[in-house]
Amino acid sequence: MIIEKIIAGWKSQKYKPVYWLQGEEEYYIDQLMSYAEHSLLTPAEAEFNLTIFYGKDANWTEVINACMRYPMFSQKQVVLLKEAQQMKEIEKLGGYLENPLLSTILVISYKGKTLDKRKSLAKTLNKHSEIVISEKIYDSKLNAWATDLVQLQGLTIAPRAVNLLVDHIGNDLSRIANEVEKVTMNLGHRKNITEDDVENYVGISKEYNVFELQQAISNKDLAKAITIIQYFEANPK
C-alpha cells in the first residue's frame, strides 16, 4: 500500500517537498497526517519548525509564506494544511507547488473527494508532488481488515467477535480502529479478543445483531427474528 511506503520512506528520511492526500477514506489520510505532525520532527525541532493550518481558516498567502521560510536548528521544516477541501482560493497555492522549497515538507489533506484532474492545480500536483488517493475498502473486506489490525498489535480476535464488531460499526475504519483500541486496553494480559469483550467494551449485544438476525432468518426462526428487529427499533444506534 502506498501509505505504508510513504511512512517507510519518511522513516528512512526520504522526503518529497509536497504530499497531497485525497479521497473518501479519511482513516489513512489521518494516519499520514498524524505521523507527519508527531514523527517527522523531534520535539525540539517541532518547536520552531512545525506549522499547522486548517483549510476553513487558512489564507493561501500565509500558507505559502510559511512554506518559504527556512528551518531553524534543523535541516527541514514541516507545514501541514488540514481539511484543505474547505480552503478558499486553494488553487493559488499552485505557484508555490510549481517550485517548492526543498527544505520544506508540505503535507495537505483534502478529504471526502478528489481534485478535478482537468484543473490546473491537479496538473501541477501531478508534476511536482506525491499524490495519495485514499479509497474506501469494500464491505466484504472489512472483517479481514479488522483482523489484520488486531494482529498488528500482537493479538488475535475470534471470527464471531469480528463479525459482531463490523456488523455494528459498518464501513468506518476510524471507528473500528478506535473500538479495537478500547477493547485491547481492557484485555489485561490476555491476547485474544472474544465476543464477550466486544459486547462489554463496545456496547454491542451479541444476541441482538445483524449476524444473529441473518442466522434466525436462515433457520426460519420467526420469533427470534422479530425479537431482534424489535431490539433494533428500540435501539437505533
Side-chain angles (χ1 to χ4, degrees):
M1 182 177 291
I2 189 171
I3 292 168
E4 295 170 348
K5 290 181 180 178
I6 288 174
I7 291 180
W10 286 348
K11 288 180 177 179
S12 301
Q13 297 188 355
K14 297 177 181 177
Y15 310 110
K16 294 191 176 181
V18 180
Y19 295 87
W20 179 274
L21 320 177
Q22 64 179 0
E24 294 183 1
E25 181 49 69
E26 297 185 1
Y27 176 79
Y28 294 113
I29 294 175
D30 289 339
Q31 290 290 102
L32 283 174
M33 291 297 285
S34 178
Y35 191 96
E37 181 175 349
H38 301 290
S39 301
L40 287 184
L41 300 169
T42 67
E45 289 174 331
E47 186 174 352
F48 298 99
N49 299 289
L50 175 63
T51 308
I52 301 174
F53 294 97
Y54 291 87
K56 186 176 180 181
D57 304 313
N59 180 284
W60 66 272
T61 57
E62 293 176 344
V63 175
I64 291 178
N65 287 339
C67 291
M68 292 298 293
R69 288 198 300 262
Y70 286 94
M72 296 178 61
F73 313 113
S74 173
Q75 293 184 342
K76 60 185 179 296
Q77 70 156 339
V78 175
V79 177
L80 305 180
L81 175 54
K82 301 182 178 183
E83 310 288 348
Q85 72 278 3
Q86 299 179 7
M87 184 177 177
K88 297 178 180 178
E89 299 183 304
I90 191 171
E91 67 280 355
K92 291 189 176 180
L93 295 178
Y96 173 79
L97 299 176
E98 285 280 0
N99 188 28
L101 200 65
L102 296 181
S103 58
T104 295
I105 303 170
L106 171 61
V107 188
I108 303 171
S109 72
Y110 192 84
K111 293 181 176 180
K113 53 186 176 180
T114 57
L115 275 180
D116 187 335
K117 293 181 180 179
R118 297 169 296 180
K119 291 188 175 181
S120 60
L121 181 60
K123 294 176 181 178
T124 300
L125 286 166
N126 279 324
K127 294 178 183 177
H128 303 287
S129 69
E130 179 80 46
I131 298 176
V132 176
I133 300 177
S134 183
E135 298 178 331
K136 286 280 187 183
I137 69 172
Y138 292 112
D139 290 351
S140 60
K141 295 184 177 181
L142 285 173
N143 282 32
W145 186 89
T147 301
D148 289 343
L149 179 68
V150 171
Q151 290 177 346
L152 285 173
Q153 301 179 48
L155 305 172
T156 59
I157 184 168
R160 287 179 65 87
V162 174
N163 284 333
L164 197 60
L165 183 68
V166 170
D167 285 344
H168 175 70
I169 295 176
N171 199 332
D172 187 334
L173 302 190
S174 295
R175 276 197 62 203
I176 292 174
N178 288 338
E179 296 300 342
V180 166
E181 182 179 4
K182 185 192 302 182
V183 172
T184 57
M185 290 175 63
N186 288 279
L187 282 182
H189 297 295
R190 289 188 296 113
K191 297 294 184 180
N192 181 59
I193 298 174
T194 66
E195 284 182 87
D196 288 337
D197 293 323
V198 173
E199 181 178 16
N200 292 333
Y201 303 119
V202 181
I204 307 171
S205 171
K206 64 181 179 182
E207 295 182 9
Y208 303 113
N209 57 74
V210 173
F211 181 76
E212 291 298 329
L213 177 59
Q214 292 171 337
Q215 287 288 99
I217 294 171
S218 177
N219 295 333
K220 298 182 179 180
D221 188 341
L222 180 61
K224 185 174 181 180
I226 290 175
T227 300
I228 294 173
I229 291 171
Q230 289 174 337
Y231 176 84
F232 287 168
E233 290 178 337
N235 299 273
K237 180 180 178 181

